[in-house]
Amino acid sequence: MNSKVAIIMPVYNAEKTIIRSISSVLSQTYTNWRLYIIDDCSDDDSAKIINTYLNDGRIIFTKLEKNLGAAEARNVGLKISEEDYISFIDSDDEWLPKKLELQMRVLSGNKGFSLTNYIYQTEDSIKNVSLNRKFNLEDFLKKKKKVCFPTLLFFRVEGLYFENLGHEDFFFIYCLYQYYNNCLIIDELTVRCHDTSGSLSSNKYKSAIWHFNLLKKIYPKNRFRQLYFFSYYIYNGLKFRLSIK
């Protein structure tokens, strides 16, 4: 269990949260990693804060000259990194100390991908979210459980990048399911996922349109499958929201 992991962190105006995120990477019990921080043309003090961590040779900082969005910022990280194993962390989320250790224990030396349980936190509530060990593609498309993207760790798939569309993280995981057929679920809490009310996904109407467009992309000629999975998206989304109130 000694493979190096590329950690990709897109950053945009994250001066209030980025210390928490970087610190959670530095606190990992699995230490063979390289953190690629991609600053998407922030105009706050994010870069100044990041610069204070660059004495750690494992941290690589790239500042983009223009704002490209989270999807393209992640793609920059994918292109400049060389490691086979890859994980992502958002600049407002945090990993628990054993996140990488637990996943690399089952993935190191193997090709595949892994998701884990996590803590979902808003300003008003905290909820532990557990995925079933047999959480398959069907469950994922039904959004049977809400997946926290920073729990993902995978063996690099050549040519797989983010597409610039709504819910690009959902589509990225879908592509991993298509490629590897199976996901290894770690039955441990490894991430504290912070839901900020100002995030794009907080606009539920826009989010629903994004998701339906994704289902049309996945099933371009099957209207029944589009509506079938979209109905589960609405049902399970409402169910999740009610569970955290």
Side-chain angles (χ1 to χ4, degrees):
M1 192 175 70
N2 60 1
S3 300
K4 184 169 285 187
V5 180
I7 304 164
I8 297 171
M9 177 190 291
V11 173
Y12 179 70
N13 288 352
E15 63 181 8
K16 295 181 180 179
T17 60
I18 194 168
I19 291 175
R20 176 177 69 200
S21 297
I22 295 176
S23 296
S24 75
V25 174
L26 292 171
S27 297
Q28 290 299 297
T29 56
Y30 189 90
T31 58
N32 195 13
W33 49 260
R34 183 172 285 128
L35 174 60
Y36 297 87
I37 303 177
I38 315 299
D39 186 347
D40 195 18
C41 203
S42 297
D43 56 15
D44 66 355
D45 283 336
S46 294
K48 185 183 297 185
I49 294 169
I50 294 166
N51 281 324
T52 66
Y53 290 94
L54 298 186
N55 60 326
D56 189 321
R58 297 173 297 175
I59 299 177
I60 310 299
F61 180 34
T62 300
K63 188 170 177 61
L64 303 182
E65 294 183 358
K66 64 178 182 178
N67 182 264
L68 300 177
E72 287 303 320
R74 285 171 177 160
N75 285 341
V76 170
L78 286 171
K79 290 172 182 175
I80 65 175
S81 61
E82 300 176 348
E83 293 76 13
D84 287 328
Y85 293 94
I86 302 168
S87 192
F88 300 95
I89 181 169
D90 294 335
S91 57
D92 60 347
D93 292 326
E94 59 186 307
W95 287 350
L96 302 186
K98 288 191 174 183
K99 194 270 185 188
L100 291 181
E101 178 186 341
L102 290 168
Q103 289 183 293
M104 289 303 290
R105 190 179 293 168
V106 297
L107 270 186
S108 186
N110 299 300
K111 296 181 180 181
F113 77 106
S114 170
L115 297 168
T116 77
N117 300 342
Y118 64 96
I119 302 164
Y120 183 85
Q121 184 166 336
T122 69
E123 292 180 358
D124 305 313
S125 65
I126 298 176
K127 176 183 175 65
N128 291 349
V129 179
S130 298
L131 306 181
N132 186 291
R133 284 185 179 271
K134 297 181 179 179
F135 190 76
N136 57 25
L137 178 58
E138 178 98 354
D139 294 333
F140 177 72
L141 287 172
K142 287 180 176 178
K143 297 209 77 170
K144 199 168 184 179
K145 291 284 186 175
K146 182 180 176 71
V147 170
C148 174
F149 193 66
T151 69
L152 172 66
L153 191 147
F154 66 101
F155 188 90
R156 183 187 296 271
V157 177
E158 200 64 37
L160 179 59
Y161 296 101
F162 290 89
E163 297 192 29
N164 198 7
L165 41 78
H167 289 183
E168 65 274 357
D169 49 356
F170 181 92
F171 188 68
F172 192 89
I173 294 175
Y174 165 78
C175 292
L176 288 172
Y177 264 112
Q178 289 290 94
Y179 190 85
Y180 286 121
N181 297 318
N182 183 48
C183 177
L184 296 169
I185 303 296
I186 305 298
D187 189 19
E188 299 277 354
L189 299 169
T190 72
V191 175
R192 188 178 298 274
C193 184
H194 293 267
D195 184 4
T196 54
S197 59
S199 66
L200 286 175
S201 61
S202 67
N203 185 325
K204 299 303 179 288
Y205 177 72
K206 182 184 289 185
S207 188
I209 292 175
W210 284 347
H211 198 75
F212 190 68
N213 286 336
L214 268 187
L215 292 172
K216 289 195 293 183
K217 182 178 177 66
I218 293 169
Y219 296 107
K221 298 180 180 179
N222 194 328
R223 191 70 167 178
F224 172 78
R225 297 293 277 179
Q226 294 170 17
L227 294 172
Y228 173 75
F229 285 114
F230 188 68
S231 66
Y232 273 103
Y233 165 80
I234 297 297
Y235 170 75
N236 286 320
L238 289 171
K239 184 178 177 182
F240 182 81
R241 285 290 162 185
L242 289 172
S243 73
I244 61 175
K245 289 186 177 180

